[in-house]
Amino acid sequence: MTEAPADTTALPAAGARVLSGMQPSGDSLHLGNYVGALVNWVKTQETYDAFFFIPDLHGITVPHDPADLRERTRRTAAQFIAGGIDPDRSTLFVQSHVPEHAQLAWVLTCLTGMGEASRMTQFKDKSTKHGADAASVGLLSYPMLMAADILLYQPHGVPVGDDQKQHVELTRNLAQRFNHRFGETFRVPEPFIPETGARIYDLQEPTTKMSKSASSPNGLVNILDTDKQIAKRIKSAVTDDGTDIRFDREHKPGISNLLSIYSAVTGRTIAELEAEYADKMYGHLKVDLAEAVVAKVAPIRERTFQLLDDPGELDALLAKGAEKARAVASQTLAAAYEKVGFLPGAAPA
């Protein structure tokens, strides 16, 4: 069977099911996470049957501290809710709370060729950098777990970023392969390019995307930073030669990044900001931008800490989301298990 390549399509129709996730890999989301993903997830839940999850199973493919993972998972969930994800409108859950993810991942792993798995970019990069013995089998099978994450919920569309195209393609191939061998079971999801916010760059290295793995923490604006920390980092941001304030990614990456952030947190256009600061200095832009970012982030931070102060209530919200997710995932897994020939288990009492 020749497996069809994916053609990135337009956005799914209103009411379609879509799924997105974000790993709990830091103590705080940063401004790039918020602007580039979370803001658009909030819009997504207005139009689609939206499933949002925290893939904590993926977080143990590399060495980790259990207490940190637990805390970061709660913090990520709290920031999702504080940033506008409505647990009543969307299905918000933690991956490890839905055991069907790991169960389906094993079935898909058994359909994946060794060469196919070892060609995945993440495994290749880390095994080349640190040596094959340092890369876990979990890292090798990570893409099959990601495929299970997607296929369990039979989504119509899967948002595709530059760093995940290869994984989505494998997901489509595995769905097609399973359907061909065992009968139609999985919807083959169509990849789509989601609406995205401005790409936010590192404040100290404005040609590099803002990331938790930044060489210096001063390049990050974290959602849970204090007002003082946020203002200090923005005011110390790298700028460019000259004094004119204009958007020019090639020649003025520092100022262009600050203008992008300003536009993202206020809703004002780049052109409006260029006009307002045409006769002003870089310092004026930084002071005003710091105030604007603090005004945007502070309510999210405060709501996050309110949620974290009541972990029982937060855990209850996540348990409710897991129950909703399992209602869908269990049906998909049961169909897949029946198709591959597993003997039916006893019905729960």
Side-chain angles (χ1 to χ4, degrees):
M1 177 184 180
T2 301
E3 290 155 347
D7 292 320
T8 303
T9 65
L11 295 174
R17 181 174 294 156
V18 297
L19 176 136
S20 295
M22 192 185 302
Q23 282 199 48
S25 55
D27 292 330
S28 173
L29 302 183
H30 58 68
L31 195 61
N33 298 140
Y34 175 70
V35 170
L38 192 55
V39 167
N40 293 291
W41 288 8
V42 173
K43 296 176 183 176
T44 296
Q45 71 184 357
E46 303 291 336
T47 306
Y48 301 110
D49 179 16
F51 281 61
F52 301 118
F53 73 108
I54 301 164
D56 56 338
L57 295 177
H58 293 299
I60 67 170
T61 58
V62 295
H64 73 287
D65 179 270
D68 284 349
L69 177 62
R70 191 172 295 113
E71 176 65 17
R72 288 172 174 179
T73 300
R74 276 206 182 96
R75 280 177 168 244
T76 301
Q79 288 171 91
F80 283 2
I81 296 170
I85 298 299
D86 183 348
D88 292 325
R89 182 173 296 171
S90 300
T91 301
L92 173 64
F93 63 99
V94 176
Q95 183 187 34
S96 63
H97 291 175
V98 182
E100 288 83 357
H101 285 254
Q103 292 172 285
L104 181 59
W106 175 248
V107 175
L108 298 179
T109 297
C110 292
L111 287 178
T112 306
M114 190 66 186
E116 194 174 29
S118 62
R119 286 193 296 272
M120 293 291 108
T121 300
Q122 188 175 58
F123 179 78
K124 284 172 60 179
D125 289 349
K126 291 195 176 181
S127 60
T128 299
K129 185 176 181 180
H130 301 292
D133 290 341
S136 71
V137 175
L139 190 65
L140 179 68
S141 59
Y142 171 103
M144 287 71 90
L145 177 56
M146 183 178 290
D149 296 338
I150 296 168
L151 297 179
L152 270 177
Y153 300 99
Q154 307 281 13
H156 297 81
V158 182
V160 180
D162 291 340
D163 58 342
Q164 297 296 348
K165 288 180 180 179
Q166 189 183 39
H167 291 153
V168 173
E169 190 61 49
L170 177 66
T171 299
R172 287 173 52 83
N173 286 345
L174 290 175
Q176 292 167 333
R177 193 174 304 162
F178 187 101
N179 291 345
H180 177 69
R181 292 187 187 179
F182 302 112
E184 290 296 319
T185 306
F186 298 115
R187 174 183 281 121
V188 180
E190 294 292 339
F192 69 93
I193 299 174
E195 295 181 22
T196 58
R199 176 167 287 192
I200 304 302
Y201 291 83
D202 190 286
L203 295 178
Q204 295 299 313
E205 300 179 26
T207 58
T208 301
K209 188 171 71 169
M210 188 174 284
S211 169
K212 297 182 184 76
S213 59
S215 58
S216 167
N218 293 328
L220 286 174
V221 172
N222 290 309
I223 299 300
L224 301 185
D225 283 343
T226 65
D227 293 352
K228 185 176 180 179
Q229 287 173 319
I230 292 171
K232 182 178 180 180
R233 288 180 179 178
I234 289 175
K235 290 175 183 177
S236 64
V238 168
T239 51
D240 314 291
D241 293 338
T243 60
D244 53 325
I245 296 176
R246 59 184 171 83
F247 190 91
D248 183 339
R249 177 61 64 195
E250 181 178 356
H251 298 104
K252 298 182 75 69
I255 289 299
S256 297
N257 190 37
L258 298 182
L259 289 170
S260 292
I261 294 171
Y262 208 152
S263 176
V265 300
T266 64
R268 301 175 64 189
T269 67
I270 296 289
E272 289 174 342
L273 295 170
E274 287 177 324
E276 178 174 342
Y277 289 92
D279 299 318
K280 296 181 180 179
M281 305 295 288
Y282 289 167
H284 296 119
L285 174 66
K286 288 183 176 183
V287 168
D288 293 347
L289 175 58
E291 291 180 359
V293 173
V294 166
K296 188 72 173 181
V297 168
I300 300 172
R301 180 185 64 228
E302 297 311 312
R303 177 58 178 148
T304 296
F305 287 135
Q306 287 175 3
L307 290 162
L308 292 172
D309 282 342
D310 191 351
E313 177 61 23
L314 179 58
D315 289 354
L317 289 173
L318 294 173
K320 180 180 176 181
E323 184 179 359
K324 290 167 63 179
R326 291 200 72 184
V328 177
S330 61
Q331 292 185 26
T332 303
L333 183 71
Y337 269 25
E338 191 276 331
K339 291 289 179 62
V340 300
F342 292 153
L343 193 66

